[in-house]
Amino acid sequence: PYRLNIKGKDQAIKSRGVKETTVYYTLCHTSMTSIVVECGFMSNPQEVSLMYNSEDYRISISKGIAEGILKSL
């Protein structure tokens, strides 16, 4: 598993780590590799603000996801 740490323009966003589970249908019942990426929580005003208002934050998340995919290959 690849752990991603995203940094916003002014602060680091807390990594909640990698969770392995059998709860998600997509992860357990497909013949292909699959992942679930959570980029924040709508119940967290700070994360919502970053997602909607910070292009740097969105780019950082996108690059981090791409990097994680490449490292897993």
Side-chain angles (χ1 to χ4, degrees), residues 21 23 26 29 34 41 52 61 64 66:
T21 182
V23 175
T26 305
H29 300 283
S34 60
F41 295 93
Y52 281 105
I61 288 174

Side-chain angles (χ1 to χ4, degrees), residues 49-63:
S49 178
L50 285 169
M51 285 186 268
Y52 281 105
N53 300 317
S54 174
E55 183 177 1
D56 289 340
Y57 180 75
R58 292 189 301 271
I59 290 171
S60 180
I61 288 174
S62 301
K63 286 181 178 179

Side-chain angles (χ1 to χ4, degrees), residues 30-59:
T30 59
S31 58
M32 64 192 129
T33 302
S34 60
I35 62 170
V36 174
V37 178
E38 292 182 333
C39 299
F41 295 93
M42 299 304 288
S43 59
N44 183 322
Q46 176 190 10
E47 291 178 348
V48 170
S49 178
L50 285 169
M51 285 186 268
Y52 281 105
N53 300 317
S54 174
E55 183 177 1
D56 289 340
Y57 180 75
R58 292 189 301 271
I59 290 171

